[in-house]
Amino acid sequence: INSFIFFDTFLKFGSFPSNTKVNSTLKLQIFYVCTDQGLAIQKAGAINLSAPESWNVYSTGDGLPSQKTYKVSKFLGSLIVSTDKGFSKFENGTWFPFIPELNDQVISDFIVTNDSIFIISGNKLLLYTNNQLNEVYSSSRSFSKLSYNKSTGFAIATDDGAIHLNKDYNSTQLIPNSPPANQFPNMSVDNQSRLWYASGKDATGIGFYIFDGINWQNFNTWSEP
């Protein structure tokens, strides 16, 4: 990391198109790569990973519910992968549906902890354990990423700041005291010495901001009349 050098770059996984978008990776003894075309798994013993033939690839024709895969992990000895249409489990060379209650649901992230899985789907945090799926938290915000620490609880990235959940699932919203974007095409100071910023009127504009020297207030058509 200190040298900022890339050791190698892999652009072609098996029969997937070159430059297929990669959503996440996992390295155990071999590499697992979740993409927008399916899941790519390094062949055992393969050394030249730039060669497409060094990868086994799996998509809907192999049993995955969708070719858009988000994350892969090991759960109780089996390989599982999340997609925008639910979970799938790899057994005996074939993918099978996993956690049927989540079929056709977008599984944007999950974390395996021993014999349980914490899952975020839409605006819900779910717990799967002992073959049971339960909702443990929900919000009006849409969830995208999940982090978990045994001592401090959960952090959830949302479309409006982050949410911290303690071990009892009590929540705190975390929103930075900052402008919502790096856009300042115009500014003015009012007679109370507050600084007003405009973000622009084109497609990138997201309202205006006021800074009183300590705190920021953000105004837009999503949050204000």
Side-chain angles (χ1 to χ4, degrees):
I1 292 175
N2 292 335
S3 64
F4 299 103
I5 292 176
F6 286 89
F7 177 74
D8 211 340
T9 303
F10 314 132
L11 304 175
K12 183 86 166 73
F13 306 102
S15 59
F16 292 166
S18 295
N19 297 305
T20 292
K21 181 184 176 185
V22 171
N23 297 314
S24 69
T25 63
L26 172 68
K27 186 178 187 299
L28 299 175
Q29 288 77 27
I30 57 177
F31 282 106
Y32 301 82
V33 183
C34 291
T35 80
D36 275 2
Q37 295 292 322
L39 179 69
I41 302 178
Q42 175 189 349
K43 292 181 179 178
I47 298 174
N48 179 20
L49 301 188
S50 295
E53 59 269 20
S54 295
W55 299 87
N56 290 318
V57 293
Y58 303 89
S59 194
T60 52
D62 305 291
L64 289 178
S66 172
Q67 64 184 22
K68 190 176 184 70
T69 56
Y70 287 119
K71 188 172 182 177
V72 62
S73 187
K74 286 285 186 75
F75 175 63
L76 299 180
S78 295
L79 195 68
I80 60 172
V81 63
S82 65
T83 76
D84 62 349
K85 292 185 179 179
F87 271 107
S88 197
K89 179 190 286 188
F90 194 57
E91 293 181 342
N92 301 319
T94 305
W95 292 94
F96 295 93
F98 179 58
I99 312 182
E101 299 95 325
L102 295 174
N103 288 351
D104 296 321
Q105 300 295 311
V106 176
I107 311 298
S108 50
D109 201 2
F110 69 94
I111 292 176
V112 175
T113 61
N114 299 320
D115 59 352
S116 302
I117 311 174
F118 290 104
I119 304 161
I120 55 173
S121 179
N123 64 342
K124 297 177 181 179
L125 174 64
L126 308 165
L127 172 62
Y128 179 79
T129 187
N130 296 324
N131 297 317
Q132 298 290 322
L133 183 69
N134 294 292
E135 178 182 322
V136 294
Y137 179 79
S138 65
S139 168
S140 60
R141 302 170 181 86
S142 180
F143 300 162
S144 58
K145 290 292 181 182
L146 177 66
S147 177
Y148 173 71
N149 180 285
K150 186 176 181 180
S151 60
T152 60
F154 301 88
I156 304 174
T158 83
D159 57 359
D160 184 20
I163 294 174
H164 173 251
L165 297 177
N166 64 19
K167 292 180 288 185
D168 297 321
Y169 305 111
N170 296 315
S171 66
T172 303
Q173 186 179 12
L174 307 174
I175 297 180
N177 178 25
S178 69
N182 296 326
Q183 297 165 210
F184 305 92
N186 205 347
M187 63 185 72
S188 182
V189 179
D190 65 19
N191 56 14
Q192 298 177 13
S193 298
R194 296 179 303 176
L195 192 57
W196 294 60
Y197 291 91
S199 67
K201 294 190 293 183
D202 61 13
T204 62
I206 53 172
F208 64 92
Y209 344 127
I210 303 174
F211 183 56
D212 64 8
I214 299 176
N215 296 307
W216 291 85
Q217 286 182 280
N218 306 320
F219 300 88
N220 54 57
T221 55
W222 302 289
S223 61
E224 304 297 329

